Amino acid sequence: NAGVTQTPKFRVLKTGQSMTLLCAQDMNHEYMYWYRQDPGMGLRLIHYSVGEGTTAKGEVPDGYNVSRLKKQNFLLGLESAAPSQTSVYFCASRRLGLAGGTGELFFGEGSRLTVL
Amino acid sequence: AQSVTQLDSQVPVFEEAPVELRCNYSSSVSVYLFWYVQYPNQGLQLLLKYLSGSTLVKGINGFEAEFNKSQTSFHLRKPSVHISDTAEYFCAVSDRAGGTSYGKLTFGQGTILTVHP
């Protein structure tokens, strides 16, 4: 059981380049999230999805796009990378529960992105 | 909107000593509270959570936390730490409203716990 898998784990980009991070979960979870982690700032929510074909903005969505074409996959795209997007990106998923916020988030191991 | 403040960015401690990692939150609605741990080069994993009921919550690896509604705090404690507890710890909240909250977590800034031999 792989849980939440992120690819790639490391990537270096030049300013203005584009890329896509892939998150795949095999737990049949409804909810999926993309966070970025920066030193001293904890994790901040970029975008999230509450089901296949749906996406919504989180706290820091600017410069990112997402898609959830399949329930098990959640893609995070950077159309024109900027140095401010240098960060560690985490994908997480959660099952649909009876009460909205009670369920545990399961995290991937992270994708470290450097934009030069 | 919610916010979470972890009062210590770094906590050094010797092995077998007790430790407390402090967390305060602010919210206009009732919340659920969580502590997550991140070991080096890994993702986050759940330590414990407070949903309702007893304000003292026990988690994995001997950790516990106490919810104090009047002080809006959720401090994490362990009576005797091990070298293997060296990690970064995150306090997080989600609101109880369900609905459009969709279980989104708001995280604190993190506390790096370093256990020295």
Side-chain angles (χ1 to χ4, degrees), chain B residues 44-63:
Chain B
L44 283 71
Q45 55 184 277
L46 183 67
L47 262 183
L48 50 78
K49 61 183 177 183
Y50 171 77
L51 304 181
S52 64
S54 173
T55 56
L56 183 63
V57 179
K58 294 189 184 298
I60 62 172
N61 300 336
F63 283 93

Side-chain angles (χ1 to χ4, degrees), chain B residues 24-106:
Chain B
N24 286 97
Y25 69 92
S26 172
S27 177
S28 57
V29 299
S30 297
V31 296
Y32 300 120
L33 294 154
F34 305 81
W35 276 98
Y36 281 80
V37 60
Q38 183 182 31
Y39 299 104
N41 299 313
Q42 294 186 25
L44 283 71
Q45 55 184 277
L46 183 67
L47 262 183
L48 50 78
K49 61 183 177 183
Y50 171 77
L51 304 181
S52 64
S54 173
T55 56
L56 183 63
V57 179
K58 294 189 184 298
I60 62 172
N61 300 336
F63 283 93
E64 62 182 32
E66 186 159 18
F67 170 56
N68 188 318
K69 187 175 182 180
S70 62
Q71 296 187 4
T72 60
S73 67
F74 190 53
H75 300 333
L76 181 70
R77 302 186 182 100
K78 187 170 183 179
S80 176
V81 295
H82 302 288
I83 297 288
S84 59
D85 293 323
T86 294
E88 188 163 15
Y89 293 78
F90 292 93
C91 182
V93 301
S94 70
D95 69 62
R96 289 176 172 266
T100 56
S101 77
Y102 298 119
K104 301 191 300 292
L105 289 183
T106 299

Side-chain angles (χ1 to χ4, degrees), chain A residues 61-95:
Chain A
D62 293 343
Y64 304 96
N65 56 75
V66 288
S67 64
R68 183 107 180 262
L69 299 180
K70 294 182 179 180
K71 185 178 182 179
Q72 64 268 33
N73 295 337
F74 194 29
L75 279 65
L76 177 71
L78 286 70
E79 290 185 346
S80 179
S84 61
Q85 294 177 303
T86 294
S87 187
V88 181
Y89 292 85
F90 285 97
C91 177
S93 70
R94 187 176 71 80
R95 68 179 180 86

Side-chain angles (χ1 to χ4, degrees), chain A residues 4 15 21-22 29 37 41 43 61 76-77 79 86 88 90 116:
Chain A
V4 179
T15 297
L21 297 177
L22 171 63
H29 286 172
Q37 182 181 22
M41 302 186 74
L43 280 78
L76 177 71
E79 290 185 346
T86 294
V88 181
F90 285 97
L116 303 176

